[in-house]
Amino acid sequence: ALYDTLKAKGMSYVMNPEMLSGTGYGQRTRLPSDVLASTNAQCLEGAILYATLMEAIGLHPAIILVPGHAFVAWKATEKDDPKLKDKFLFLETTMTHDAPFEAAVKVGGKEYDDANAQKKAKVLFVDSLRKMGITPQPYD
């Protein structure tokens, strides 16, 4: 439902070179509310947006970092597929604008599998970040 809602809103991937930090492997990101208002996101912004929305509805998201890219995952529930319960599903968030949900899940899974096989995937579990004291950005 989140994917379909963001797709209907016109959410798209954009690479804005002005958002790069200029310090190597960093990237400045906008708050999810700013991303929603603009209806475009760089890969990390899209991953953060999806993770934020997933956490807000009670899912257990993770941000996946692979060399030069980021996307999102979540722990599957019985509503996703009873056979997949408690396994992680991956979503290529940059495909929101122009691909079906199932294709974005398939691509996300392949990206994770490929990077993980090379030991180049980093998984940031949002609930673990919370336990470390990393909290959501406050807003007015």
Side-chain angles (χ1 to χ4, degrees), residues 30-104:
R30 297 171 293 157
L31 295 173
S33 59
D34 294 330
V35 171
L36 284 171
S38 71
T39 68
N40 63 62
Q42 297 196 84
C43 62
L44 182 57
E45 292 172 330
I48 291 169
L49 172 63
Y50 270 96
T52 298
L53 295 171
M54 289 175 174
E55 183 182 35
I57 63 171
L59 295 177
H60 300 284
I63 296 171
I64 310 300
L65 302 175
V66 299
H69 190 49
F71 50 101
V72 74
W74 74 98
K75 189 183 287 188
T77 67
E78 291 216 11
K79 290 180 181 178
D80 290 304
D81 183 337
K83 294 178 280 186
L84 297 176
K85 186 175 185 263
D86 294 330
K87 295 186 188 252
F88 271 83
L89 298 175
F90 303 88
L91 178 69
E92 177 48 74
T93 60
T94 65
M95 295 173 67
T96 302
H97 187 262
D98 54 3
F101 173 75
E102 294 78 12

Side-chain angles (χ1 to χ4, degrees), residues 13-24 26-30 40-42 45:
Y13 169 72
V14 64
M15 180 54 173
N16 180 352
E18 292 179 12
M19 294 297 288
L20 297 176
S21 70
T23 60
Q27 183 180 77
R28 292 181 306 157
T29 59
R30 297 171 293 157
N40 63 62
Q42 297 196 84
E45 292 172 330

